[in-house]
Amino acid sequence: MTIPLVLPGDFFAVEGTGWVSRAIIQVCKHYAMDGQADKSHAGIFISSEGSTFESLRRIQRSHIKAYEGKTIIIGRYLGMTPQMANAAIAQLLDDYEGVVYPYWRLAFHLARMAQWVGTGDYLVCSELVAKMLKLVGALSTFTGYTPDHINDIIVRWRTMQIVYCGRWSSCLLTQPNAGYIPDRRHWER
């Protein structure tokens, strides 16, 4: 039996290359407890075929193939059942699909105030992932999270599994058991 690499409810943090991505990484590095950050975007898998739900220019469906060749880490919350994942995804799609990207919230992140300022219906990419993790019981709040937080949650939390870490190639979606990582210590900083 072939096990798909990704499942609905898995989530990721990925590097970016544009000036906005570089700015996000610098802000994350400045505030990171470990002083390290290399991810500038995060998203959620909504299918095993690589469909994603992300906060881009709008909160919208996309596909992981957009990150071909980029450094990515994919995580899975071990306490999440398929039913929990599907219910959380359905709620997020219903509540947020089509909502515009809240560029103004980046100023709150820069000032380290994002966790105290309500989002309304506007979530940056990492808050969208955190909202899903809140809906399935992994987090108690979702505001103020950055792509570096999502990366660190995947790497450091015992309730998370690293599904994949490395340069992304969409052919991994069709390779049997492509994401097997025998020892998570290899990925800790």
Side-chain angles (χ1 to χ4, degrees), residues 75 119 124:
T119 65
V124 299

Side-chain angles (χ1 to χ4, degrees), residues 181-189:
I181 297 175
D183 187 346
R184 69 182 282 122
R185 289 176 293 177
H186 292 290
W187 306 107
E188 293 181 7
R189 292 185 200 168

Side-chain angles (χ1 to χ4, degrees), residues 105-158:
R105 281 198 55 76
L106 296 177
F108 294 125
H109 280 274
L110 182 60
R112 294 191 73 179
M113 295 172 41
Q115 64 268 31
W116 295 294
V117 178
T119 65
D121 287 335
Y122 304 99
L123 304 176
V124 299
C125 61
S126 44
E127 290 173 328
L128 183 66
V129 172
K131 176 77 179 225
M132 188 214 45
L133 291 172
K134 181 179 188 288
L135 290 172
V136 298
L139 295 175
S140 60
T141 186
F142 62 92
T143 58
Y145 281 86
T146 68
D148 182 57
H149 289 130
I150 301 304
N151 181 81
D152 289 349
I153 286 169
I154 295 169
V155 171
R156 299 174 195 276
W157 288 23
R158 294 185 189 278

Side-chain angles (χ1 to χ4, degrees), residues 2 12-14 27 30 78 133 135 152 157 161 165 171 189:
T2 301
F12 64 91
V14 64
V27 170
H30 181 71
L78 296 173
L133 291 172
L135 290 172
D152 289 349
W157 288 23
Q161 176 186 0
C165 186
C171 68
R189 292 185 200 168

